[in-house]
Amino acid sequence: MKKALADALTQRRYETLTPVQKAVTEAQLQNADLLVSAQTGSGKTVGFGLALGETLLGTQDNFGSAEAPLALIIAPTRELALQVKRELAWLYAPAGVVMASCVGGMDMRDERRALGRGAHIVVATPGRLRDHIMRGSIDLSAVRGVVLDEADEMLDLGFREDLEFILGEAPDDRRTLMFSATVPKAIATLAKSYQRDAVRVTTVAETKPHNDIKYHAMTVANHDAENAIINILRFYEAPNAIVFCNTRAMVNRVTTRLSNRNFSVVALSGELSQAERSHALQAMRDGRARVCVATDVAARGIDLPGLDLVVHAELPNNHETLLNRSGRTGRAGRKGESCLIVTAKLRRKAERILQAAKLVAEWGEAPA
C-alpha cells in the first residue's frame, strides 16, 4: 500500500480493513480490471480508493501538479458522488490530491472552471460527465483508472448509453473497476464489452446479505401503523434513524406527525431543491436532526454515519428495495436494526419479500 494512503488510514484510526477492502488490494490484482460484488456499507469507497493507489501514483508517493484527470469515479446520484468525493479527499489528502466533481444539479460553469484549473480525480454522475465530454471541457487523455460505483443502480436508472459513451471516450489502456451489489446479465455484458479479462471479486461477507443488521417484522392493527412509527423510534432511542415511505405525500404526513411529537426531523423527497436536500442531510450529520423521513428515490446513495435504525413505515415493493433501504444501517462492521411495520392485511406480502431477500426476521408486536 502507498505510504500516503496508509498514513490517511492511520489518521482515521483504521485498524483493520473490511473484507472487500482486503480483497481488492491483493497484490496479484494490482493491474487487473475488477468486477466486484459489494453491498452498500461494505467500505467499498475506501476499497476502490486503495485499489487505485498504485495505478494513479505509480512509483511516486505524491501527486504532481493537477492537470488532466488521472481517474474518473462515476456514481448514480449526486449524493453518492459527493459522498465518494469526501471519502477520497481524506484518503488521498496526504498525497496532495486535487478533486473535482461533475454532478447534475450543480453549476456547470463552476465545474468547468474547476476542470480548467486541473484535478487528479474527478467524481461524476453519468449524464453531467457526458455533457462535459461533449462540450470539450474535460480532457480524458490522461485517465488511468475508471470506477463505476453501484453499476447495477446506474443501469436501473437508465444510464447505459451515457456509460457506454464515457467508457468509449476513455483511453483503451485504462483500468476499469466495476462495483455492483448484484451482477445481473446487463452488468456482465457491460463488463465483457468494456473491461479486459476482468477478475470477479466476491467476499464472504457479501454472500450473506446484511450480517450486521437485525430484522424485525412488527405487527400492528390496520389503523395503528403511524402510531407504531413513533413508538418504534422511542423504543430504540437511536441517535440517528431513517423512516422510509412509498410516496411524497406519506413523507410529508409522517414528518408533520413526528415534528408535532417533538422529534427533531427532516424530510427527503423528490420535490426538494438540491440546497434543501443538502441542508437536510447536513442536519442529520451534525446532530441537529435525529430522524430522516424519505422516499426510496430520494434516499438512493446517501450515507448517514452512525445510522442505527431503519423503519419501513410502508412495506417496500420488492426485496431489492428492502435490502437497499436496510443497507443504510449496519455499515462497515457496525450493528443496525431494520423494522418492518406490518399490518394484518399485508402480512403475506411481508413474508414474501423477506423470503425473496433470504432474510429471517424476528416477528412480534410493535412496541406499545
Side-chain angles (χ1 to χ4, degrees):
M1 190 188 294
K2 286 288 173 191
K3 182 180 182 304
L5 304 184
D7 289 348
L9 293 177
T10 303
Q11 284 167 20
R12 284 271 166 153
R13 296 191 168 87
Y14 262 72
E15 289 172 11
T16 54
L17 298 180
T18 67
V20 74
Q21 290 163 359
K22 282 182 189 152
V24 299
T25 51
E26 294 279 351
Q28 69 268 28
L29 300 181
Q30 200 170 294
N31 300 308
D33 284 3
L34 304 177
L35 176 53
V36 184
S37 300
Q39 301 287 349
T40 305
S42 56
K44 62 186 163 64
T45 307
V46 170
F48 60 68
L50 295 174
L52 284 174
E54 206 73 37
T55 307
L56 304 186
L57 292 165
T59 57
Q60 306 301 310
D61 268 320
N62 296 304
F63 288 108
S65 59
E67 293 168 8
L70 304 175
L72 294 177
I73 317 293
I74 307 166
T77 64
R78 58 187 165 217
E79 277 84 16
L80 183 59
L82 296 174
Q83 180 183 306
V84 166
K85 184 183 175 190
R86 283 195 300 273
E87 290 266 298
L88 295 182
W90 69 254
L91 182 62
Y92 277 92
V97 74
V98 176
M99 307 276 306
S101 56
C102 304
V103 299
M106 298 301 189
D107 191 314
M108 201 157 182
R109 290 162 303 178
D110 289 346
E111 292 178 347
R112 196 179 301 133
R113 281 193 286 272
L115 293 168
R117 289 192 296 271
H120 300 112
I121 300 175
V122 172
V123 185
T125 50
R128 178 56 65 90
L129 179 56
R130 182 176 183 168
D131 285 347
H132 279 294
I133 295 169
M134 292 177 81
R135 289 165 192 243
S137 48
I138 186 169
D139 172 9
L140 302 187
S141 62
V143 167
R144 299 176 192 169
V146 175
V147 176
L148 304 188
D149 190 14
E150 303 209 351
D152 50 350
E153 192 76 60
M154 289 198 276
L155 294 191
D156 286 349
L157 292 171
F159 289 128
R160 176 196 291 277
E161 276 184 34
D162 291 336
L163 292 175
E164 289 178 344
F165 174 82
I166 293 161
L167 293 169
E169 293 290 313
D172 290 339
D173 60 352
R174 66 174 192 271
R175 272 185 87 195
T176 309
L177 312 184
M178 286 173 59
F179 284 73
S180 190
T182 57
V183 184
K185 191 164 182 280
I187 293 290
T189 305
L190 193 69
K192 211 169 193 175
S193 306
Y194 294 98
Q195 290 186 299
R196 294 166 300 168
D197 304 321
V199 178
R200 188 88 162 72
V201 177
T202 308
T203 60
V204 176
E206 271 89 51
T207 57
K208 284 187 248 157
H210 298 182
N211 278 349
D212 293 320
I213 302 171
K214 189 170 185 185
Y215 282 83
H216 305 270
M218 298 183 164
T219 55
V220 295
N222 289 334
H223 60 274
D224 236 8
E226 286 181 32
N227 287 333
I229 301 167
I230 294 163
N231 292 338
I232 289 167
L233 291 170
R234 288 201 169 133
F235 179 79
Y236 283 101
E237 290 185 338
N240 261 351
I242 189 164
V243 177
F244 279 103
C245 304
N246 292 342
T247 63
R248 291 179 192 175
M250 186 64 167
V251 165
N252 294 337
R253 186 166 147 170
V254 170
T255 304
T256 303
R257 283 207 66 172
L258 292 178
S259 184
N260 290 342
R261 295 296 188 94
N262 296 323
F263 284 91
S264 47
V265 59
V266 291
L268 270 190
S269 69
E271 63 201 354
L272 300 184
S273 69
Q274 180 57 27
E276 288 169 324
R277 291 167 65 81
S278 299
H279 182 74
L281 288 169
Q282 193 51 48
M284 287 293 287
R285 288 194 183 104
D286 62 26
R288 282 177 292 131
R290 281 184 47 210
V291 182
C292 176
V293 185
T295 57
D296 295 312
V297 172
R300 259 189 189 132
I302 64 169
D303 182 25
L304 294 170
L307 190 78
D308 294 323
L309 177 65
V310 174
V311 180
H312 308 268
E314 297 179 288
L315 290 181
N317 290 322
N318 53 54
H319 72 279
E320 287 99 343
T321 305
L322 174 65
L323 290 170
N324 270 332
R325 286 177 173 188
S326 301
R328 304 283 149 236
T329 187
R331 296 166 83 92
R334 283 178 65 99
K335 301 292 180 192
E337 312 276 344
S338 178
C339 299
L340 290 81
I341 295 175
V342 185
T343 57
K345 61 186 177 188
L346 291 175
R347 181 165 180 132
R348 293 292 297 278
K349 180 182 177 181
E351 288 170 346
R352 199 168 58 245
I353 291 170
L354 287 163
Q355 189 177 4
K358 299 185 171 66
L359 294 169
V360 177
E362 188 178 281
W363 285 80
E365 290 183 5

